[in-house]
Amino acid sequence: MSKYYLVILCLTLFPCHAKQLAFSRLEKDNTIEFHYVWQDRAEKQHQLDVSFDKTQFFDAFRTFKLYRPEIANRYSVMAMRKQASQIDAREADIKVKQNANKISVSIRSRHPKSIPKWQKQFQQLQRSSFEQYLADNYYIEFENAMGETGIKPDHVKFARQSQDLLAPLIASFRQLSEDSPDRRKTIELVLSWVQSIPYDLLEDRLNSNGSGFSPPNKLLVDNKGDCDSKAVLTAALLHGLYPDMPMVFIFLPEHALLGVSFKHKKEESVFMHDQIAYFYLEPTGPALFELGEISDQSKRDIGNNQQQFEPIKF
């Protein structure tokens, strides 16, 4: 009787899954140390050991907390009340009140014609103080490809301000890739490592109040992250390795990708944005997509023009 054997190959059609073979975290008096062993697409094993200054590591991004509209409004109210207290009562009597998520301003003045001036001034102050609150807490206003607006973590700012934090990890990858000056191979090495970190489901980007996002230090400690968090970590590492390389975040309805630009061959698949050719990067895992490969769902979203680009400027 003939015997048949099923052989599964790691083909582009069926991407292999990333494998984190070992992970450990050790906290000492002054350092926190991480140990990783993972397997890449070619089933080659890699090991990485990295140590961070403990204080610097845990102090990073301490102001990042869940976004709460009432707290943001309270920040604006305080700024507006401070400004109102400095106005001569003979010019205007201005009261600022907060009711849940609404701010109201009442203005009384002996000079009625001046009231529009005061209204405009306090509208501008409300706006500028709100923007300052978002900036201080690593958030930005965001409009997706469907025209829906909301507040989301400032992914570019997180990537930009992670450079000092991740310097030891960047140095470790630089050392791992010393034998190969090929930028492509180093990018795929970083990509395979990020893909091997366990995946955490993405919360709704516009309605989650930032609850699902993990800054790079939290992602490393938890040893898991959603697609947005992994994209930020990847962007920060690649910028540390290649400061001259243009990059862009690509936000899809329920996913995030990264675009990187460097010299490519004619036959390679790239996409254009602002007259720059980029490779797609799929850092999420566990599927081990190569440089330039993305999932079928991502292709459908992009084919339906549901992508939103956010250039990464350092």
Side-chain angles (χ1 to χ4, degrees):
M1 183 176 179
S2 299
K3 292 183 179 180
Y4 295 89
Y5 297 90
L6 176 64
V7 179
I8 300 177
L9 299 177
C10 188
L11 301 175
T12 300
L13 189 59
F14 301 103
C16 291
H17 281 192
K19 293 182 181 179
Q20 189 182 78
L21 303 177
F23 167 77
S24 64
R25 181 183 73 244
L26 177 64
E27 292 188 39
K28 297 183 178 180
D29 289 342
N30 300 312
T31 61
I32 179 168
E33 301 174 359
F34 294 87
H35 169 74
Y36 299 91
V37 179
W38 76 99
Q39 182 174 288
D40 66 17
R41 186 183 179 91
E43 299 187 352
K44 180 181 178 181
Q45 288 188 19
H46 304 274
Q47 178 175 323
L48 184 148
D49 294 280
V50 60
S51 176
F52 298 90
D53 177 272
K54 191 174 178 179
T55 300
Q56 181 187 19
F57 187 87
F58 285 110
D59 279 351
F61 309 121
R62 279 192 179 275
T63 62
F64 178 67
K65 300 175 182 177
L66 293 185
Y67 172 73
R68 295 172 57 187
E70 65 274 18
I71 301 299
N73 282 342
R74 189 181 304 164
Y75 184 94
S76 293
V77 166
M78 290 174 64
M80 295 164 74
R81 285 176 175 170
K82 180 179 179 180
Q83 180 66 27
S85 69
Q86 297 172 357
I87 295 172
D88 190 330
R90 291 171 294 181
E91 293 291 327
D93 178 30
I94 299 176
K95 305 293 184 184
V96 181
K97 296 181 180 180
Q98 179 179 358
N99 183 10
N101 291 333
K102 293 183 179 181
I103 297 175
S104 62
V105 179
S106 62
I107 303 172
R108 293 190 302 172
S109 176
R110 297 176 181 175
H111 312 287
K113 291 184 179 180
S114 70
I115 290 179
K117 177 193 72 172
W118 295 116
Q119 289 175 328
K120 182 177 180 180
Q121 179 178 326
F122 276 80
Q123 286 171 353
Q124 292 174 339
L125 179 56
Q126 181 178 349
R127 180 65 190 172
S128 63
S129 59
F130 175 69
E131 291 175 346
Q132 188 62 52
Y133 175 84
L134 294 182
D136 290 346
N137 292 277
Y138 296 91
Y139 284 99
I140 59 170
E141 294 175 279
F142 179 74
E143 180 178 341
N144 64 20
M146 307 301 292
E148 300 169 322
T149 59
I151 306 297
K152 77 170 185 66
D154 189 342
H155 298 85
V156 172
K157 187 173 183 178
F158 275 109
R160 187 170 59 241
Q161 294 194 2
S162 293
Q163 293 301 292
D164 290 342
L165 167 69
L166 296 177
L169 186 54
I170 293 166
S172 294
F173 273 109
R174 190 174 288 118
Q175 186 174 2
L176 280 178
S177 59
E178 278 183 348
D179 296 335
S180 174
D182 187 346
R183 177 176 297 204
R184 181 186 307 265
K185 289 183 179 179
T186 301
I187 291 174
E188 291 192 333
L189 176 65
V190 173
L191 185 62
S192 70
W193 174 74
V194 177
Q195 290 169 337
S196 75
I197 296 172
Y199 173 64
D200 197 21
L201 287 175
L202 174 70
E203 299 279 347
D204 185 301
R205 189 174 291 120
L206 292 182
N207 298 308
S208 68
N209 295 341
S211 62
F213 180 76
S214 295
N217 54 345
K218 186 176 188 302
L219 189 156
L220 295 178
V221 167
D222 294 343
N223 192 38
K224 65 178 180 179
D226 64 13
C227 52
D228 285 28
S229 307
K230 286 190 168 191
V232 167
L233 175 62
T234 306
L237 291 173
L238 293 182
H239 178 73
L241 291 165
Y242 305 109
D244 63 328
M245 184 169 66
M247 291 187 288
V248 62
F249 288 122
I250 306 109
F251 296 111
L252 304 176
E254 296 180 359
H255 198 41
L257 305 169
L258 188 64
V260 296
S261 180
F262 61 93
K263 190 174 181 180
H264 64 280
K265 302 172 185 176
K266 286 185 178 180
E267 65 273 16
E268 290 183 312
S269 176
V270 295
F271 70 92
M272 299 298 297
H273 178 66
D274 286 346
Q275 300 182 325
I276 298 175
Y278 291 91
F279 287 98
Y280 283 114
L281 284 190
E282 179 80 83
T284 303
L288 282 168
F289 288 102
E290 288 185 304
L291 183 71
E293 293 180 346
I294 56 176
S295 69
D296 289 340
Q297 181 60 55
S298 294
K299 291 177 183 177
R300 285 192 290 271
D301 288 342
I302 292 169
N304 291 327
N305 292 318
Q306 293 184 305
Q307 71 274 29
Q308 191 77 6
F309 297 102
E310 196 168 304
I312 305 172
K313 298 180 180 179
F314 287 85

